[in-house]
Structure formats: C-alpha cells, structure tokens
C-alpha cells in the first residue's frame, strides 16, 4: 500500500479524470459547515498519514464473494447499527457480532449457500438528515449528524460540528475492527458455539416452539458432520469466519483522507471499510458521492428508494459499474412493504436488460418507519418481514436473483421495533429505547427474523 501522493490515473470508461479529490468539483449534499475550516483541514491532513483500516486485497475478496451473490451462489447478510456511538462498549460490539453470526448459521442452512457477512459497523458514524435543524420547545439548533460530526445532546455546544471527532471516529473504527478480527478468528465464531446460542434462543423465546423443527434440522446436520469427524476442532473453516465492515460513505472529506493507492495493482481503495454505500439522499448521478465512489475499487452499495426511476438506476450503473463487473455494485432497495411488489419489477428488468450483473439486496427497514401514538419513531417486525417477502416475490416474477438483506439491528435488549416473538407493543417502546437515530431490531427479533426467512426458503418462496 503506497500512501504517498501520486498523479491520479483516469478511470476506464468514465470519460473524465478521477482523483480522490475530484468530488470537490461536484455538488456535495449532506456535508456539515465546519466552523473552523483550517482546523478541519489540519485533521484531514493528519488522517491522510494514518494507516489504512482495511486492505485492498480484503476488498477484492469481498468483491469476489459478492459476485457469487449476484450469480445466486451466495447470500448477503449486511447488518448492524443505524448510527454507531463513540460510547459503544466491547460487550455491545460482541453481542452485535453474535446476533449476525447466529442469523448467518440459520440462513446458511436454509439457503444452502455461503452467507457473506458484512457489518454496518466499525465506521457507521455519519447520518444524512432530512432537515438541517431541529426545534425543541421553540429552540432551533443544528440537527444531530452522527458522532463523527457532532453530539446528540440538545445544546449549542453539542450540536456544533467538531473536526476532532473525525480522529476519534478513525480510532473507534480501528479499535472496533481489531475486536471483530479477534472474535471472528479466535474461536468465538465456532459453528458449534453459534448453533448452541440458537438452541438457547429457541428454548427461551416465546416464539421458540415454532422454530424447534428448524433448529432440530440444523442440529442433526451438525451432529452428522461431527460423527464424520468434521468439527470446529478439526476444521478451521468451522472455527473462523470472514466478516467484513461497511458504512455509508457520507462524509467525503473523511473518506478521501483514508483513500490509498494499492501498490500491487495501482488501483485506488477507500481504506475506511471493505464496502461503502451511497444513501438514498445522495445518489444523484452528477453528485459528489457518486463521483468519489466511482474511482475507488471497493464494492459499492447504493440505496434505492420508491422515487427512483429505471433511468436513475442505469445512470448509476454507468457511473459506478462501467465495465459490468459482477460484485462491484449492490443495489439496496428500500421501497416499503406495500409498494415493493409494484415498484421493484420494472427496475429489476431494466438493469438486467442493460447487462449489469448487480447484487440486489433488500433493506426492509427504511421505508417502513412510522411514528407511534406515543411519539416514538418505530418499525413493525411484520412490515420488515412483508417487505422481504415482497422482494423475493418481485424477483421470482422477473426471474432475477434476490441476493440478500440489509438490516438495522443490535444485540442489545432494546425496545425500539414493534412485534416479533415477544410481541413488543407501543407501550413497551419507552422501556429501553436507546437508538441515536432509527429504531433497530433487538437481538431476539433479529434471530426471530432469520428463522422466519428460513421458513420462506424452506417453503420455496425465495
Ligand atoms: C441508513 O441506512 O441508515 C439510511 C439513512 O438509509 P437511507 O439512505 O436508505 O435512507
Ligand atoms: Co437508519
């Protein structure tokens, strides 16, 4: 990895030169106003000297695995927090990983293909906002934009963007990633252990009985393998897992500062995470976010909401995937449970007809948010499940491949989303409502969802 400045190469197929800073010539939405631009630049310069958080070879490996997803030979599970906090404890990081691993075991068994595990973690610190400001009791202050920019408390000091937070974000991401690497390679992720947690979930969950047959089947498969001499003790593949990081590449100064040229290939990589995605609010084909990400060779996601047209998607494909490389581009659709079946099929056909082999992932969270009677922002488990079912149905109808799911969840026992096995009700929301942004599935709702998806796979409705 060469971190020295070199002359920027042009990106093949783009027709325009690209450099890590060429986004600065395009309209950049959702960037904060830094009160002290000189201090901000000093921090960016410092970040530019820091070691990369991930390596180009890892990002290439994820691209290969996502190419398998695009071909229907693997399934993508991308999940984690809506907005990570600088105060997240090690236990909370461990528990989030644990839930994702538990879900992955269930999905691996019932899809019959490898599950590619990508966390919204170790860098998911910046949030796009619908409104620049927030008003409480007649006081208007800048909106909270994520811990990489400002703080959630409602005072002028908390809400003023502070560039030193970029360095804290880098350090928190590094520490989180270090813990994840230790957990995923050090025995915590052993199949037998993860399966045991699922057995405990089934035993303890109010909805558990419903899943007993499913868990028994996995049990028999694990026992069969052990009887054949294949166990976590004998096979490192059953003891270790590959786990990748991702976040929304929103704050472009930070992403630029962590972009490095790979000494092996000469290609540029954004080394802040393995995969970066573009949010629904910043996916303009001539905007700064697409300009920045078109030049880095990491796998790229792009959120697609209900207002997106086929022409929008094709323009994004041309910008981000000019060479039609499977695994390069993931469209993360978030249409709403009641609209997905109408809105998705024409988009699937248009992209397929244009010859782009993208990954299609379903985000069943962001178009199913509503405010409950008590004023809490929430989502209902049934709507989440309904959007995924509609997503599978749309793909069956068109003949395309449903590649995976993109979820907001935590391993903590929060009360932010309604429904699920424990039938969380509106009156329960206030008990442990801890999110800094959107409502997340809690640990048991998440494993619940994996089993409900398993039922869809078993019944052939994927
Ligand atoms: C998110 O993923 O947290 C988010 C803001 O999503 P979207 O861009 O789809 O609204
Ligand atoms: Co969110």
């Amino acid at each position: 990895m060469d971190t020295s400045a070199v002359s920027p190469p042009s990106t093949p197929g783009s027709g325009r030169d690209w450099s890590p800073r060429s986004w600065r010539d395009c309209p950049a939405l959702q960037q904060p106003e830094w009160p002290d631009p000189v201090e901000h630049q000093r921090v960016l310069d410092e970040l530019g000297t820091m070691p990369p958080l991930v390596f180009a070879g890892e990002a290439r490996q994820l691209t290969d695995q996502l190419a398998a997803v695009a071909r229907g030979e693997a399934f993508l599970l991308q999940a984690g927090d809506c907005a990570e906090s600088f105060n997240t404890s090690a236990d909370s990081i461990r528990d989030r990983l644990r839930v994702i691993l538990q879900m992955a075991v269930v999905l691996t068994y019932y899809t019959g293909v490898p599950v590619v595990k990508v966390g919204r973690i170790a860098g998911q610190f910046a949030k796009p906002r619908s409104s620049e400001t927030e008003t409480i009791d007649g006081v208007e202050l800048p909106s909270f934009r994520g811990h990489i920019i400002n703080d959630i408390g409602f005072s002028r000091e908390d809400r003023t963007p502070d560039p030193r937070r970029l360095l804290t974000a880098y350090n928190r991401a590094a520490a989180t990633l270090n813990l994840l690497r230790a957990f995923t390679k050090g025995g915590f992720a052993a199949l037998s252990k993860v399966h045991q947690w699922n057995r405990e979930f089934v035993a303890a969950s109010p909805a558990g009985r419903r899943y007993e047959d499913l868990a028994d089947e996995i049990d028999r498969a694990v026992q069969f393998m052990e009887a054949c001499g294949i166990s976590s003790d004998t096979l490192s593949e059953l003891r270790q897992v590959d786990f990748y990081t991702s976040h929304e590449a929103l704050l472009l100064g930070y992403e630029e500062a962590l972009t490095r040229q790979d000494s092996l290939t000469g290609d540029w990589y954004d080394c802040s995470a393995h995969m970066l995605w573009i949010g629904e609010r910043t996916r303009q084909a001539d905007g700064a976010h697409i300009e920045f990400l078109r030049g880095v060779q990491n796998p790229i996601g792009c959120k697609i909401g209900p207002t997106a047209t086929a022409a929008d998607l094709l323009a994004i494909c041309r910008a981000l995937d000019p060479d039609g490389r499977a695994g390069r581009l993931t469209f993360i659709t978030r249409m709403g449970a009641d609209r997905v079946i109408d809105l998705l099929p024409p988009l699937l056909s248009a992209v397929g007809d244009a010859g782009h082999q993208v990954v299609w992932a379903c985000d069943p969270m962001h178009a199913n948010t509503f405010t409950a009677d008590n004023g809490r922002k929430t989502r209902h488990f049934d709507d989440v499940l309904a959007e995924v079912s509609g997503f599978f149905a749309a793909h069956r109808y068109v003949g395309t491949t449903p590649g995976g799911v993109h979820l907001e969840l935590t391993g903590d026992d929060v009360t932010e989303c309604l429904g699920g096995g424990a039938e969380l009700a509106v009156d329960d929301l206030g008990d442990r409502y801890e999110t800094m942004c959107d409502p997340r599935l809690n640990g048991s709702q998440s494993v619940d969802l994996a089993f409900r998806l398993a039922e869809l796979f078993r019944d052939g409705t994927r």
Side-chain angles (χ1 to χ4, degrees):
M1 193 72 50
D2 180 359
T3 55
S4 61
V6 287
S7 57
S10 67
T11 303
S14 69
R16 272 183 303 143
D17 283 352
W18 179 92
S19 82
R21 49 181 301 120
S22 56
W23 64 269
R24 292 172 182 271
D25 298 330
C26 303
L29 300 184
Q30 299 280 346
Q31 306 303 295
E33 289 267 335
W34 300 101
D36 182 349
V38 174
E39 171 70 356
H40 178 229
Q41 189 54 51
R42 194 198 61 73
V43 167
L44 293 181
D45 291 346
E46 188 174 341
L47 279 173
T49 68
M50 297 293 206
L53 293 176
V54 302
F55 305 104
E58 297 174 321
R60 278 195 287 275
Q61 191 182 322
L62 176 57
T63 304
D64 289 346
Q65 296 188 8
L66 290 171
V69 173
R71 293 191 301 269
E73 294 162 10
F75 191 78
L76 170 65
L77 173 60
Q78 187 172 18
D81 222 317
C82 178
E84 275 184 284
S85 163
F86 283 175
N87 309 316
T88 306
S89 68
D91 284 358
S92 180
I93 295 166
R94 178 200 60 205
D95 292 346
R96 211 164 319 155
L97 173 67
R98 179 168 123 148
V99 163
I100 294 172
L101 296 175
Q102 284 182 257
M103 297 178 76
V105 165
V106 175
L107 293 172
T108 305
Y109 185 82
Y110 282 95
T111 56
V113 293
V115 171
V116 181
K117 296 168 274 294
V118 182
R120 286 176 62 117
I121 201 164
Q124 176 51 20
F125 294 121
K127 296 310 297 176
R129 302 320 304 242
S130 310
S131 171
E132 289 282 317
T133 60
E134 185 181 355
T135 304
I136 299 180
D137 296 334
V139 179
E140 189 182 14
L141 289 175
S143 295
F144 171 58
R145 288 180 176 274
H147 266 170
I148 195 169
I149 293 164
N150 58 6
D151 211 347
I152 195 159
F154 197 70
S155 70
R156 172 76 47 195
E157 194 191 346
D158 285 328
R159 293 296 172 92
T160 302
D162 179 354
R164 285 169 307 181
R165 287 180 166 272
L166 273 62
L167 290 168
T168 311
Y170 170 87
N171 287 318
R172 293 290 315 187
T176 304
L177 188 52
N178 184 51
L179 197 60
L180 291 169
R181 289 191 196 276
F183 279 136
T184 50
K185 301 297 177 193
F188 178 78
L191 172 66
S192 50
K193 210 181 232 180
V194 179
H195 177 58
Q196 184 54 35
W197 294 328
N198 279 344
R199 297 254 31 143
E200 288 163 15
F201 164 80
V202 169
S205 143
R209 293 209 66 76
R210 179 187 176 130
Y211 307 133
E212 228 153 61
D213 290 350
L214 294 166
D216 281 350
E217 264 190 64
I218 302 178
D219 223 18
R220 278 196 294 278
V222 172
Q223 277 174 24
F224 174 75
M225 287 196 306
E226 280 173 359
C228 297
I230 306 165
S231 74
S232 307
D233 296 335
T234 55
L235 198 65
S236 66
E237 279 83 350
L238 296 183
R239 212 167 40 243
Q240 304 187 341
V241 295
D242 290 334
F243 188 86
Y244 298 97
T245 59
S246 70
H247 61 256
E248 179 173 348
L250 185 71
L251 194 56
L252 292 173
Y254 177 83
E255 303 301 338
E256 176 194 325
L258 289 173
T259 295
R260 307 280 186 272
Q261 196 171 24
D262 176 28
S263 50
L264 214 60
T265 60
D267 287 336
W268 292 90
Y269 284 84
D270 180 345
C271 296
S272 69
H274 298 109
M275 178 180 185
L276 288 314
W277 79 82
I278 303 171
E280 167 68 1
R281 292 164 191 76
T282 50
R283 60 172 165 74
Q284 301 73 21
D286 57 355
H289 291 80
I290 290 206
E291 172 58 22
F292 173 70
L293 286 167
R294 80 182 171 90
V296 296
Q297 296 308 308
N298 310 60
I300 304 300
C302 184
K303 294 287 198 88
I304 299 295
T307 59
T309 62
D312 292 339
L313 270 69
L314 294 178
I316 294 169
C317 285
R318 281 193 298 274
L320 294 180
D321 181 34
D323 306 322
R325 257 187 325 126
R328 158 70 171 169
L329 180 56
T330 297
F331 278 133
I332 306 163
T333 63
R334 25 95 81 220
M335 297 297 179
D338 47 357
R339 304 180 70 190
V340 59
I341 195 65
D342 294 325
L343 296 177
L344 194 51
L347 303 179
L348 302 179
S349 303
V351 172
D353 291 350
H356 288 275
Q357 214 183 354
V358 303
V359 171
W360 293 100
C362 175
D363 166 359
M365 316 298 293
H366 285 91
N368 295 311
T369 316
F370 62 95
T371 305
D373 291 344
N374 60 4
R376 298 277 187 189
K377 198 156 81 154
T378 189
R379 294 158 173 160
H380 201 293
F381 182 89
D382 293 348
D383 294 334
V384 171
L385 188 62
E387 177 150 0
V388 183
S389 306
F391 170 84
F392 288 155
H395 281 279
R396 265 200 319 281
Y397 177 70
V398 180
T400 38
T401 304
V405 287
H406 180 114
L407 304 167
E408 286 185 345
L409 56 75
T410 167
D412 302 337
D413 186 22
V414 299
T415 54
E416 298 168 6
C417 290
L418 301 170
E423 294 179 12
L424 214 96
V426 172
D427 286 345
D428 303 323
L429 290 178
D431 291 353
R432 286 175 306 284
Y433 193 95
E434 295 171 5
T435 183
M436 292 200 303
C437 196
D438 290 336
R440 305 155 299 173
L441 298 171
N442 63 28
S444 90
Q445 286 169 326
S446 304
V447 182
D448 235 327
L449 182 67
F451 276 109
R452 297 294 287 265
L453 296 178
E455 288 177 339
L456 294 179
F457 294 125
R458 186 193 52 185
D459 302 341
T461 42
R462 176 192 173 189

